[in-house]
Structures are given as C-alpha cells and as structure tokens.
Amino acid sequence: MRKKSKKQLKHLQAILLVIVVVLLGMIWSINELSSSSASAELIVSPNKTTAMQQETSQHYKIVIDAGHGGKDPGADGASGKRERAYTLALSKKVFDLLQQEPMFDVYMTRTDDTFVDLDDRVKLANDLDAEAFVSIHGNTYTDPEVSGTETYYYADDSIPFAREVHEHLVEATGFKDRGVRKEDWKVLTQSNNLAILLEVGYLTNRSDETNMLSDKHQDRTAAAIVNGIKEYFADRERLDK
Ligand SMILES: [Zn+2]
C-alpha cells in the first residue's frame, strides 16, 4: 500500500511537471503575442497621432467685416447702388462658406444694414483675440475708367496673409491686379492680429460693378477669399508643427 502510494505520488509529480511545462509554454506564448501586438501598435501609432492632432487642431477665429452700413452707405456705384449692400452680400457668402470649415470659428461685425463704428469693428476682433480680421469693400474713384482689385494691410505681419488672399481674389474677380498695398486705415492699424482690407473691384467702373453685383461673381469671389484664408492657415499650421 505504501509502495503503491509512493508510485502514485511519482505519477502525480510527473503529471504536475507536465502541467507546469504546459503552463510555462502558455505564458511564454502569451508574452510573445502581447509583445508582437505592442510592436504592431507602434507601427500604427503615426496614424493614431495624426488622428489626435486633427481632433485637437487649432480653431482659428476669423472676423468678417462688411464695410460701411446704415447711415454710412460707402461708395456710389456706377448704377447708383451703394457699397454697403454689396459688402454685406459678399460678406454673408464668405461667412457661410467659412462656417463649413471645421478649422474656423467665424464672426461678422454686422449681419444687416446697420451702422457699426470703426472702433467697434476692431474691438470685436481684438476682444475675441481673433487670428484674422478681413474687411470687405468695393472701391470708388472719380475716373470711371479705373478698375481692378486691391488688397490692403498695415502691419508687416499681415503681408503674407494679404498676399495669399489677394492671389486668390484676383484670379476669381478676373479684374486688373492692382496689387497688395500698405495703408494706415483705422481697422488695420488698431487690429492686434492679422488684418487686411479687400477692395474687390471698382463700383464706379461699370464693368467691375456689373460683375460684382452678379450672384455668380459674388459666389466665386467668396469662395476665393475663403480658399485664400484656408491656404494661409493650413500653411501656418504645417510650419508650426
Ligand atoms: Zn468701402
């Protein structure tokens, strides 16, 4: 009986040893698996980072300023129509398009035909600490022959932004390129951040005005302004990384 139980014990030991070996083997293979999945994770991590960066990517605050309004009608167009209506129509289109872009938070200095003081327009942008202030205008001149697109800035920091938007704007308007110019207008000099003023075309020029008052031309112009803004901030984001 004792002998038998000793034999049984040995048998049991052998079984236990087999179990231990099998268990060790299992633990080893689990380790292998988890380490290989860890390295797989490392390989996909660049994609993960990109997704995270997209989620946390910055929101740029943009203020769209429809020039004039209310008691300040702005330029008298060749047809007798006033600048304030044109700037509001185009600004609304720019606003609507920018709102569809997840990288932007968009604001307007006026949404209807009301008078807004120049100081208040700049104050809105500065209080928001908006990355960019874009003022939209139609030009005027005593000589009705003068036509074309101009973009204005004051601070040197705004030059690259002015150039980018101007390039798109000129292409879309199809008007004469009258360049990017420096001017000490209040809305430009008082802005703490990027500030530009677009003189899309000359409302006093019959051909410019006819184009500018057409819905199609306004859609094209608005899309160009938005593309210019988008490209500038996409470039800046790339440089920041
Ligand atoms: Zn104006």
Side-chain angles (χ1 to χ4, degrees):
M1 199 60 187
R2 253 202 117 97
K3 253 190 178 174
K4 212 183 176 187
S5 68
K6 230 185 188 177
K7 220 178 179 182
Q8 270 181 338
L9 208 76
K10 263 200 174 164
H11 199 79
L12 218 96
Q13 272 178 338
I15 289 169
L16 273 171
L17 196 75
V18 168
I19 289 170
V20 167
V21 167
V22 167
L23 274 173
L24 278 172
M26 275 170 75
I27 288 165
W28 180 81
S29 64
I30 284 167
N31 265 342
E32 272 296 286
L33 262 173
S34 61
S35 68
S36 69
S37 71
S39 62
E41 225 169 307
L42 271 177
I43 292 161
V44 298
S45 68
N47 284 333
K48 263 192 173 173
T49 320
T50 318
M52 266 171 64
Q53 276 166 349
Q54 274 167 355
E55 274 168 32
T56 55
S57 106
Q58 208 176 331
H59 276 240
Y60 298 100
K61 289 180 203 152
I62 312 290
V63 173
I64 300 300
D65 175 45
H68 313 279
K71 68 178 182 185
D72 169 18
D76 249 331
S79 67
K81 292 209 169 95
R82 311 307 293 267
E83 184 187 349
R84 64 182 172 204
Y86 170 71
T87 62
L88 184 63
L90 181 58
S91 296
K92 278 181 172 173
K93 287 178 190 284
V94 172
F95 176 84
D96 288 345
L97 288 175
L98 273 175
Q99 263 203 323
Q100 293 167 28
E101 302 292 336
M103 74 191 290
F104 298 119
D105 293 328
V106 207
Y107 305 85
M108 285 183 87
T109 53
R110 69 179 177 100
T111 54
D112 55 18
D113 188 23
T114 49
F115 174 77
V116 181
D117 201 85
L118 289 181
D119 291 305
D120 293 331
R121 294 171 192 248
V122 189
K123 195 178 179 298
L124 173 79
N126 287 344
D127 286 351
L128 285 164
D129 198 22
E131 273 77 13
F133 177 90
V134 179
S135 193
I136 291 173
H137 288 256
N139 223 334
T140 171
Y141 198 62
T142 45
D143 181 355
E145 290 301 309
V146 174
S147 67
T149 304
E150 295 156 23
T151 298
Y152 289 87
Y153 69 93
Y154 177 72
D156 287 352
D157 285 351
S158 293
I159 295 174
F161 182 51
R163 284 195 181 135
E164 186 74 72
V165 176
H166 183 74
E167 195 183 297
H168 286 81
L169 186 59
V170 168
E171 204 191 321
T173 58
F175 302 157
K176 187 179 166 191
D177 182 353
R178 293 176 57 91
V180 174
R181 303 166 178 217
K182 182 169 181 159
E183 194 64 65
D184 62 349
W185 284 320
K186 209 174 200 177
V187 289
L188 301 180
T189 58
Q190 290 184 2
S191 284
N192 292 341
N193 295 315
L194 298 176
I196 57 173
L197 189 147
L198 313 176
E199 292 283 7
V200 178
Y202 278 77
L203 289 167
T204 42
N205 177 271
R206 198 164 286 280
S207 167
D208 276 12
E209 192 208 29
T210 305
N211 279 301
M212 288 161 79
L213 296 184
S214 92
D215 206 45
K216 249 190 183 165
H217 194 271
Q218 285 176 14
D219 285 340
R220 205 165 67 221
T221 305
I225 293 168
V226 169
N227 284 336
I229 296 171
K230 258 172 76 179
E231 223 155 272
Y232 173 83
F233 282 99
D235 282 351
R236 206 169 88 166
E237 214 163 64
R238 266 196 294 275
L239 289 172
D240 283 349
K241 274 171 195 165

PDB file of all heavy atoms in Angstrom, residues 33-70:
ATOM      1  N   LEU A  33       2.799  36.965 -27.915  1.00  0.00           N
ATOM      2  CA  LEU A  33       1.656  37.588 -28.577  1.00  0.00           C
ATOM      3  C   LEU A  33       1.520  39.054 -28.199  1.00  0.00           C
ATOM      4  O   LEU A  33       1.359  39.920 -29.061  1.00  0.00           O
ATOM      5  CB  LEU A  33       0.372  36.844 -28.183  1.00  0.00           C
ATOM      6  CG  LEU A  33      -0.130  35.796 -29.167  1.00  0.00           C
ATOM      7  CD1 LEU A  33      -1.303  35.031 -28.557  1.00  0.00           C
ATOM      8  CD2 LEU A  33      -0.563  36.447 -30.482  1.00  0.00           C
ATOM      9  N   SER A  34       1.599  39.303 -26.865  1.00  0.00           N
ATOM     10  CA  SER A  34       1.372  40.681 -26.437  1.00  0.00           C
ATOM     11  C   SER A  34       2.497  41.597 -26.901  1.00  0.00           C
ATOM     12  O   SER A  34       2.271  42.744 -27.240  1.00  0.00           O
ATOM     13  CB  SER A  34       1.197  40.764 -24.920  1.00  0.00           C
ATOM     14  OG  SER A  34       2.365  40.299 -24.298  1.00  0.00           O
ATOM     15  N   SER A  35       3.738  41.037 -26.942  1.00  0.00           N
ATOM     16  CA  SER A  35       4.834  41.902 -27.405  1.00  0.00           C
ATOM     17  C   SER A  35       4.708  42.179 -28.897  1.00  0.00           C
ATOM     18  O   SER A  35       5.027  43.256 -29.366  1.00  0.00           O
ATOM     19  CB  SER A  35       6.200  41.300 -27.062  1.00  0.00           C
ATOM     20  OG  SER A  35       6.402  40.139 -27.826  1.00  0.00           O
ATOM     21  N   SER A  36       4.186  41.142 -29.632  1.00  0.00           N
ATOM     22  CA  SER A  36       4.047  41.397 -31.068  1.00  0.00           C
ATOM     23  C   SER A  36       2.905  42.393 -31.313  1.00  0.00           C
ATOM     24  O   SER A  36       2.976  43.214 -32.212  1.00  0.00           O
ATOM     25  CB  SER A  36       3.819  40.089 -31.826  1.00  0.00           C
ATOM     26  OG  SER A  36       2.555  39.568 -31.507  1.00  0.00           O
ATOM     27  N   SER A  37       1.847  42.325 -30.463  1.00  0.00           N
ATOM     28  CA  SER A  37       0.768  43.299 -30.665  1.00  0.00           C
ATOM     29  C   SER A  37       1.226  44.704 -30.257  1.00  0.00           C
ATOM     30  O   SER A  37       0.764  45.694 -30.799  1.00  0.00           O
ATOM     31  CB  SER A  37      -0.495  42.879 -29.910  1.00  0.00           C
ATOM     32  OG  SER A  37      -0.306  43.025 -28.527  1.00  0.00           O
ATOM     33  N   ALA A  38       2.179  44.733 -29.285  1.00  0.00           N
ATOM     34  CA  ALA A  38       2.714  46.037 -28.895  1.00  0.00           C
ATOM     35  C   ALA A  38       3.494  46.661 -30.044  1.00  0.00           C
ATOM     36  O   ALA A  38       3.384  47.855 -30.306  1.00  0.00           O
ATOM     37  CB  ALA A  38       3.607  45.892 -27.677  1.00  0.00           C
ATOM     38  N   SER A  39       4.270  45.812 -30.747  1.00  0.00           N
ATOM     39  CA  SER A  39       5.035  46.372 -31.863  1.00  0.00           C
ATOM     40  C   SER A  39       4.102  46.757 -33.005  1.00  0.00           C
ATOM     41  O   SER A  39       4.338  47.717 -33.715  1.00  0.00           O
ATOM     42  CB  SER A  39       6.113  45.399 -32.331  1.00  0.00           C
ATOM     43  OG  SER A  39       5.513  44.222 -32.797  1.00  0.00           O
ATOM     44  N   ALA A  40       2.998  45.989 -33.132  1.00  0.00           N
ATOM     45  CA  ALA A  40       2.018  46.364 -34.158  1.00  0.00           C
ATOM     46  C   ALA A  40       1.440  47.740 -33.829  1.00  0.00           C
ATOM     47  O   ALA A  40       1.241  48.564 -34.706  1.00  0.00           O
ATOM     48  CB  ALA A  40       0.908  45.326 -34.219  1.00  0.00           C
ATOM     49  N   GLU A  41       1.221  47.974 -32.550  1.00  0.00           N
ATOM     50  CA  GLU A  41       0.678  49.257 -32.116  1.00  0.00           C
ATOM     51  C   GLU A  41       1.651  50.395 -32.457  1.00  0.00           C
ATOM     52  O   GLU A  41       1.249  51.461 -32.868  1.00  0.00           O
ATOM     53  CB  GLU A  41       0.465  49.214 -30.611  1.00  0.00           C
ATOM     54  CG  GLU A  41      -0.876  49.783 -30.194  1.00  0.00           C
ATOM     55  CD  GLU A  41      -1.159  49.486 -28.741  1.00  0.00           C
ATOM     56  OE1 GLU A  41      -1.094  48.313 -28.334  1.00  0.00           O
ATOM     57  OE2 GLU A  41      -1.401  50.444 -28.019  1.00  0.00           O
ATOM     58  N   LEU A  42       2.935  50.098 -32.272  1.00  0.00           N
ATOM     59  CA  LEU A  42       3.950  51.099 -32.592  1.00  0.00           C
ATOM     60  C   LEU A  42       3.913  51.474 -34.062  1.00  0.00           C
ATOM     61  O   LEU A  42       4.073  52.629 -34.412  1.00  0.00           O
ATOM     62  CB  LEU A  42       5.346  50.565 -32.237  1.00  0.00           C
ATOM     63  CG  LEU A  42       5.802  50.832 -30.819  1.00  0.00           C
ATOM     64  CD1 LEU A  42       7.153  50.181 -30.591  1.00  0.00           C
ATOM     65  CD2 LEU A  42       5.894  52.329 -30.566  1.00  0.00           C
ATOM     66  N   ILE A  43       3.646  50.454 -34.881  1.00  0.00           N
ATOM     67  CA  ILE A  43       3.624  50.724 -36.318  1.00  0.00           C
ATOM     68  C   ILE A  43       2.442  51.622 -36.678  1.00  0.00           C
ATOM     69  O   ILE A  43       2.566  52.533 -37.472  1.00  0.00           O
ATOM     70  CB  ILE A  43       3.569  49.393 -37.123  1.00  0.00           C
ATOM     71  CG1 ILE A  43       4.902  48.661 -36.945  1.00  0.00           C
ATOM     72  CG2 ILE A  43       3.306  49.650 -38.596  1.00  0.00           C
ATOM     73  CD1 ILE A  43       4.853  47.194 -37.274  1.00  0.00           C
ATOM     74  N   VAL A  44       1.281  51.376 -36.037  1.00  0.00           N
ATOM     75  CA  VAL A  44       0.117  52.197 -36.393  1.00  0.00           C
ATOM     76  C   VAL A  44       0.103  53.546 -35.676  1.00  0.00           C
ATOM     77  O   VAL A  44      -0.702  54.389 -35.985  1.00  0.00           O
ATOM     78  CB  VAL A  44      -1.243  51.470 -36.145  1.00  0.00           C
ATOM     79  CG1 VAL A  44      -1.343  50.242 -37.008  1.00  0.00           C
ATOM     80  CG2 VAL A  44      -1.429  51.153 -34.675  1.00  0.00           C
ATOM     81  N   SER A  45       1.022  53.704 -34.713  1.00  0.00           N
ATOM     82  CA  SER A  45       0.959  54.928 -33.913  1.00  0.00           C
ATOM     83  C   SER A  45       1.042  56.240 -34.712  1.00  0.00           C
ATOM     84  O   SER A  45       0.402  57.207 -34.316  1.00  0.00           O
ATOM     85  CB  SER A  45       2.015  54.908 -32.820  1.00  0.00           C
ATOM     86  OG  SER A  45       3.280  54.998 -33.382  1.00  0.00           O
ATOM     87  N   PRO A  46       1.777  56.299 -35.848  1.00  0.00           N
ATOM     88  CA  PRO A  46       1.770  57.576 -36.572  1.00  0.00           C
ATOM     89  C   PRO A  46       0.359  57.975 -37.001  1.00  0.00           C
ATOM     90  O   PRO A  46      -0.029  59.135 -36.913  1.00  0.00           O
ATOM     91  CB  PRO A  46       2.659  57.300 -37.792  1.00  0.00           C
ATOM     92  CG  PRO A  46       3.547  56.204 -37.362  1.00  0.00           C
ATOM     93  CD  PRO A  46       2.719  55.347 -36.444  1.00  0.00           C
ATOM     94  N   ASN A  47      -0.428  56.966 -37.444  1.00  0.00           N
ATOM     95  CA  ASN A  47      -1.809  57.258 -37.831  1.00  0.00           C
ATOM     96  C   ASN A  47      -2.612  57.763 -36.644  1.00  0.00           C
ATOM     97  O   ASN A  47      -3.387  58.690 -36.758  1.00  0.00           O
ATOM     98  CB  ASN A  47      -2.487  55.999 -38.381  1.00  0.00           C
ATOM     99  CG  ASN A  47      -2.020  55.707 -39.797  1.00  0.00           C
ATOM    100  OD1 ASN A  47      -1.628  56.624 -40.503  1.00  0.00           O
ATOM    101  ND2 ASN A  47      -2.044  54.455 -40.194  1.00  0.00           N
ATOM    102  N   LYS A  48      -2.388  57.077 -35.513  1.00  0.00           N
ATOM    103  CA  LYS A  48      -3.103  57.478 -34.296  1.00  0.00           C
ATOM    104  C   LYS A  48      -2.790  58.932 -33.947  1.00  0.00           C
ATOM    105  O   LYS A  48      -3.676  59.692 -33.609  1.00  0.00           O
ATOM    106  CB  LYS A  48      -2.668  56.584 -33.129  1.00  0.00           C
ATOM    107  CG  LYS A  48      -3.618  55.446 -32.871  1.00  0.00           C
ATOM    108  CD  LYS A  48      -3.265  54.811 -31.553  1.00  0.00           C
ATOM    109  CE  LYS A  48      -4.288  53.766 -31.138  1.00  0.00           C
ATOM    110  NZ  LYS A  48      -3.852  53.062 -29.949  1.00  0.00           N
ATOM    111  N   THR A  49      -1.513  59.295 -34.037  1.00  0.00           N
ATOM    112  CA  THR A  49      -1.093  60.657 -33.703  1.00  0.00           C
ATOM    113  C   THR A  49      -1.775  61.657 -34.624  1.00  0.00           C
ATOM    114  O   THR A  49      -2.268  62.684 -34.181  1.00  0.00           O
ATOM    115  CB  THR A  49       0.438  60.805 -33.838  1.00  0.00           C
ATOM    116  OG1 THR A  49       1.028  59.625 -33.333  1.00  0.00           O
ATOM    117  CG2 THR A  49       0.927  62.000 -33.073  1.00  0.00           C
ATOM    118  N   THR A  50      -1.824  61.316 -35.924  1.00  0.00           N
ATOM    119  CA  THR A  50      -2.436  62.231 -36.882  1.00  0.00           C
ATOM    120  C   THR A  50      -3.900  62.467 -36.522  1.00  0.00           C
ATOM    121  O   THR A  50      -4.366  63.602 -36.512  1.00  0.00           O
ATOM    122  CB  THR A  50      -2.345  61.660 -38.314  1.00  0.00           C
ATOM    123  OG1 THR A  50      -1.063  61.102 -38.464  1.00  0.00           O
ATOM    124  CG2 THR A  50      -2.570  62.737 -39.333  1.00  0.00           C
ATOM    125  N   ALA A  51      -4.582  61.359 -36.186  1.00  0.00           N
ATOM    126  CA  ALA A  51      -5.997  61.485 -35.833  1.00  0.00           C
ATOM    127  C   ALA A  51      -6.154  62.381 -34.609  1.00  0.00           C
ATOM    128  O   ALA A  51      -7.024  63.241 -34.571  1.00  0.00           O
ATOM    129  CB  ALA A  51      -6.584  60.113 -35.560  1.00  0.00           C
ATOM    130  N   MET A  52      -5.254  62.205 -33.638  1.00  0.00           N
ATOM    131  CA  MET A  52      -5.325  63.005 -32.426  1.00  0.00           C
ATOM    132  C   MET A  52      -5.046  64.470 -32.724  1.00  0.00           C
ATOM    133  O   MET A  52      -5.704  65.365 -32.218  1.00  0.00           O
ATOM    134  CB  MET A  52      -4.319  62.501 -31.396  1.00  0.00           C
ATOM    135  CG  MET A  52      -4.936  61.511 -30.429  1.00  0.00           C
ATOM    136  SD  MET A  52      -3.681  60.764 -29.411  1.00  0.00           S
ATOM    137  CE  MET A  52      -3.068  62.180 -28.519  1.00  0.00           C
ATOM    138  N   GLN A  53      -4.051  64.695 -33.596  1.00  0.00           N
ATOM    139  CA  GLN A  53      -3.709  66.080 -33.944  1.00  0.00           C
ATOM    140  C   GLN A  53      -4.876  66.757 -34.645  1.00  0.00           C
ATOM    141  O   GLN A  53      -5.139  67.915 -34.432  1.00  0.00           O
ATOM    142  CB  GLN A  53      -2.474  66.111 -34.846  1.00  0.00           C
ATOM    143  CG  GLN A  53      -1.196  66.055 -34.049  1.00  0.00           C
ATOM    144  CD  GLN A  53      -0.003  65.751 -34.913  1.00  0.00           C
ATOM    145  OE1 GLN A  53      -0.155  65.380 -36.070  1.00  0.00           O
ATOM    146  NE2 GLN A  53       1.172  65.883 -34.364  1.00  0.00           N
ATOM    147  N   GLN A  54      -5.576  65.963 -35.487  1.00  0.00           N
ATOM    148  CA  GLN A  54      -6.711  66.553 -36.194  1.00  0.00           C
ATOM    149  C   GLN A  54      -7.800  66.950 -35.200  1.00  0.00           C
ATOM    150  O   GLN A  54      -8.391  67.996 -35.317  1.00  0.00           O
ATOM    151  CB  GLN A  54      -7.258  65.566 -37.227  1.00  0.00           C
ATOM    152  CG  GLN A  54      -6.499  65.674 -38.538  1.00  0.00           C
ATOM    153  CD  GLN A  54      -6.776  64.533 -39.479  1.00  0.00           C
ATOM    154  OE1 GLN A  54      -7.479  63.596 -39.128  1.00  0.00           O
ATOM    155  NE2 GLN A  54      -6.208  64.598 -40.650  1.00  0.00           N
ATOM    156  N   GLU A  55      -8.005  66.054 -34.212  1.00  0.00           N
ATOM    157  CA  GLU A  55      -9.040  66.340 -33.221  1.00  0.00           C
ATOM    158  C   GLU A  55      -8.697  67.580 -32.406  1.00  0.00           C
ATOM    159  O   GLU A  55      -9.559  68.391 -32.111  1.00  0.00           O
ATOM    160  CB  GLU A  55      -9.194  65.155 -32.275  1.00  0.00           C
ATOM    161  CG  GLU A  55     -10.154  64.096 -32.807  1.00  0.00           C
ATOM    162  CD  GLU A  55     -10.075  62.817 -32.007  1.00  0.00           C
ATOM    163  OE1 GLU A  55      -9.820  62.899 -30.800  1.00  0.00           O
ATOM    164  OE2 GLU A  55     -10.231  61.749 -32.612  1.00  0.00           O
ATOM    165  N   THR A  56      -7.413  67.690 -32.046  1.00  0.00           N
ATOM    166  CA  THR A  56      -7.032  68.787 -31.164  1.00  0.00           C
ATOM    167  C   THR A  56      -6.546  70.002 -31.954  1.00  0.00           C
ATOM    168  O   THR A  56      -6.123  70.970 -31.379  1.00  0.00           O
ATOM    169  CB  THR A  56      -5.917  68.353 -30.200  1.00  0.00           C
ATOM    170  OG1 THR A  56      -4.831  67.856 -30.974  1.00  0.00           O
ATOM    171  CG2 THR A  56      -6.394  67.299 -29.239  1.00  0.00           C
ATOM    172  N   SER A  57      -6.588  69.925 -33.309  1.00  0.00           N
ATOM    173  CA  SER A  57      -6.035  71.014 -34.126  1.00  0.00           C
ATOM    174  C   SER A  57      -6.762  72.323 -33.810  1.00  0.00           C
ATOM    175  O   SER A  57      -7.944  72.347 -33.486  1.00  0.00           O
ATOM    176  CB  SER A  57      -6.115  70.665 -35.607  1.00  0.00           C
ATOM    177  OG  SER A  57      -7.116  71.388 -36.235  1.00  0.00           O
ATOM    178  N   GLN A  58      -6.035  73.396 -33.963  1.00  0.00           N
ATOM    179  CA  GLN A  58      -6.497  74.699 -33.510  1.00  0.00           C
ATOM    180  C   GLN A  58      -7.716  75.205 -34.273  1.00  0.00           C
ATOM    181  O   GLN A  58      -7.886  74.922 -35.456  1.00  0.00           O
ATOM    182  CB  GLN A  58      -5.358  75.690 -33.688  1.00  0.00           C
ATOM    183  CG  GLN A  58      -5.413  76.824 -32.699  1.00  0.00           C
ATOM    184  CD  GLN A  58      -4.217  77.729 -32.862  1.00  0.00           C
ATOM    185  OE1 GLN A  58      -3.150  77.307 -33.269  1.00  0.00           O
ATOM    186  NE2 GLN A  58      -4.404  78.988 -32.555  1.00  0.00           N
ATOM    187  N   HIS A  59      -8.530  75.952 -33.591  1.00  0.00           N
ATOM    188  CA  HIS A  59      -9.630  76.649 -34.237  1.00  0.00           C
ATOM    189  C   HIS A  59      -9.217  78.100 -34.384  1.00  0.00           C
ATOM    190  O   HIS A  59      -8.901  78.751 -33.398  1.00  0.00           O
ATOM    191  CB  HIS A  59     -10.896  76.569 -33.394  1.00  0.00           C
ATOM    192  CG  HIS A  59     -11.648  75.312 -33.607  1.00  0.00           C
ATOM    193  ND1 HIS A  59     -12.934  75.272 -34.063  1.00  0.00           N
ATOM    194  CD2 HIS A  59     -11.278  74.035 -33.450  1.00  0.00           C
ATOM    195  CE1 HIS A  59     -13.336  74.025 -34.173  1.00  0.00           C
ATOM    196  NE2 HIS A  59     -12.342  73.239 -33.800  1.00  0.00           N
ATOM    197  N   TYR A  60      -9.225  78.599 -35.603  1.00  0.00           N
ATOM    198  CA  TYR A  60      -8.827  79.989 -35.836  1.00  0.00           C
ATOM    199  C   TYR A  60     -10.079  80.859 -35.861  1.00  0.00           C
ATOM    200  O   TYR A  60     -11.041  80.545 -36.567  1.00  0.00           O
ATOM    201  CB  TYR A  60      -8.064  80.104 -37.150  1.00  0.00           C
ATOM    202  CG  TYR A  60      -6.786  79.302 -37.158  1.00  0.00           C
ATOM    203  CD1 TYR A  60      -6.732  78.058 -37.785  1.00  0.00           C
ATOM    204  CD2 TYR A  60      -5.639  79.776 -36.525  1.00  0.00           C
ATOM    205  CE1 TYR A  60      -5.559  77.311 -37.783  1.00  0.00           C
ATOM    206  CE2 TYR A  60      -4.467  79.039 -36.521  1.00  0.00           C
ATOM    207  CZ  TYR A  60      -4.436  77.805 -37.154  1.00  0.00           C
ATOM    208  OH  TYR A  60      -3.285  77.060 -37.154  1.00  0.00           O
ATOM    209  N   LYS A  61     -10.034  81.941 -35.115  1.00  0.00           N
ATOM    210  CA  LYS A  61     -11.165  82.868 -35.094  1.00  0.00           C
ATOM    211  C   LYS A  61     -10.984  83.896 -36.204  1.00  0.00           C
ATOM    212  O   LYS A  61      -9.948  84.563 -36.272  1.00  0.00           O
ATOM    213  CB  LYS A  61     -11.235  83.586 -33.744  1.00  0.00           C
ATOM    214  CG  LYS A  61     -11.676  82.688 -32.614  1.00  0.00           C
ATOM    215  CD  LYS A  61     -11.710  83.478 -31.316  1.00  0.00           C
ATOM    216  CE  LYS A  61     -11.586  82.550 -30.129  1.00  0.00           C
ATOM    217  NZ  LYS A  61     -10.968  83.214 -28.982  1.00  0.00           N
ATOM    218  N   ILE A  62     -11.979  83.980 -37.055  1.00  0.00           N
ATOM    219  CA  ILE A  62     -11.913  84.911 -38.181  1.00  0.00           C
ATOM    220  C   ILE A  62     -13.079  85.894 -38.071  1.00  0.00           C
ATOM    221  O   ILE A  62     -14.226  85.477 -37.903  1.00  0.00           O
ATOM    222  CB  ILE A  62     -12.027  84.163 -39.534  1.00  0.00           C
ATOM    223  CG1 ILE A  62     -11.077  82.951 -39.596  1.00  0.00           C
ATOM    224  CG2 ILE A  62     -11.807  85.113 -40.708  1.00  0.00           C
ATOM    225  CD1 ILE A  62      -9.610  83.254 -39.685  1.00  0.00           C
ATOM    226  N   VAL A  63     -12.776  87.178 -38.169  1.00  0.00           N
ATOM    227  CA  VAL A  63     -13.830  88.194 -38.164  1.00  0.00           C
ATOM    228  C   VAL A  63     -13.985  88.736 -39.587  1.00  0.00           C
ATOM    229  O   VAL A  63     -13.022  89.210 -40.189  1.00  0.00           O
ATOM    230  CB  VAL A  63     -13.511  89.341 -37.185  1.00  0.00           C
ATOM    231  CG1 VAL A  63     -14.539  90.468 -37.325  1.00  0.00           C
ATOM    232  CG2 VAL A  63     -13.490  88.825 -35.748  1.00  0.00           C
ATOM    233  N   ILE A  64     -15.200  88.604 -40.112  1.00  0.00           N
ATOM    234  CA  ILE A  64     -15.501  89.147 -41.436  1.00  0.00           C
ATOM    235  C   ILE A  64     -16.235  90.472 -41.237  1.00  0.00           C
ATOM    236  O   ILE A  64     -17.262  90.535 -40.566  1.00  0.00           O
ATOM    237  CB  ILE A  64     -16.372  88.159 -42.259  1.00  0.00           C
ATOM    238  CG1 ILE A  64     -15.630  86.815 -42.451  1.00  0.00           C
ATOM    239  CG2 ILE A  64     -16.763  88.757 -43.608  1.00  0.00           C
ATOM    240  CD1 ILE A  64     -14.298  86.901 -43.178  1.00  0.00           C
ATOM    241  N   ASP A  65     -15.655  91.506 -41.832  1.00  0.00           N
ATOM    242  CA  ASP A  65     -16.178  92.859 -41.649  1.00  0.00           C
ATOM    243  C   ASP A  65     -16.780  93.375 -42.950  1.00  0.00           C
ATOM    244  O   ASP A  65     -16.062  93.686 -43.904  1.00  0.00           O
ATOM    245  CB  ASP A  65     -15.030  93.771 -41.180  1.00  0.00           C
ATOM    246  CG  ASP A  65     -15.452  95.222 -41.081  1.00  0.00           C
ATOM    247  OD1 ASP A  65     -16.543  95.475 -40.538  1.00  0.00           O
ATOM    248  OD2 ASP A  65     -14.686  96.099 -41.534  1.00  0.00           O
ATOM    249  N   ALA A  66     -18.120  93.451 -42.975  1.00  0.00           N
ATOM    250  CA  ALA A  66     -18.801  94.023 -44.143  1.00  0.00           C
ATOM    251  C   ALA A  66     -18.693  95.546 -44.034  1.00  0.00           C
ATOM    252  O   ALA A  66     -19.276  96.152 -43.137  1.00  0.00           O
ATOM    253  CB  ALA A  66     -20.262  93.588 -44.158  1.00  0.00           C
ATOM    254  N   GLY A  67     -17.938  96.137 -44.945  1.00  0.00           N
ATOM    255  CA  GLY A  67     -17.679  97.571 -44.886  1.00  0.00           C
ATOM    256  C   GLY A  67     -18.961  98.412 -44.903  1.00  0.00           C
ATOM    257  O   GLY A  67     -19.960  98.036 -45.510  1.00  0.00           O
ATOM    258  N   HIS A  68     -18.905  99.550 -44.191  1.00  0.00           N
ATOM    259  CA  HIS A  68     -19.997 100.540 -44.168  1.00  0.00           C
ATOM    260  C   HIS A  68     -21.295  99.959 -43.584  1.00  0.00           C
ATOM    261  O   HIS A  68     -21.248  99.003 -42.836  1.00  0.00           O
ATOM    262  CB  HIS A  68     -20.206 101.137 -45.570  1.00  0.00           C
ATOM    263  CG  HIS A  68     -18.898 101.540 -46.200  1.00  0.00           C
ATOM    264  ND1 HIS A  68     -18.268 102.728 -45.902  1.00  0.00           N
ATOM    265  CD2 HIS A  68     -18.064 100.873 -47.063  1.00  0.00           C
ATOM    266  CE1 HIS A  68     -17.115 102.785 -46.577  1.00  0.00           C
ATOM    267  NE2 HIS A  68     -16.964 101.683 -47.271  1.00  0.00           N
ATOM    268  N   GLY A  69     -22.441 100.531 -43.933  1.00  0.00           N
ATOM    269  CA  GLY A  69     -23.726 100.066 -43.398  1.00  0.00           C
ATOM    270  C   GLY A  69     -24.516 101.191 -42.751  1.00  0.00           C
ATOM    271  O   GLY A  69     -23.942 102.120 -42.187  1.00  0.00           O
ATOM    272  N   GLY A  70     -25.834 101.086 -42.842  1.00  0.00           N
ATOM    273  CA  GLY A  70     -26.720 102.071 -42.241  1.00  0.00           C
ATOM    274  C   GLY A  70     -26.476 103.469 -42.774  1.00  0.00           C
ATOM    275  O   GLY A  70     -26.446 103.693 -43.982  1.00  0.00           O
TER     276      GLY A  70
END
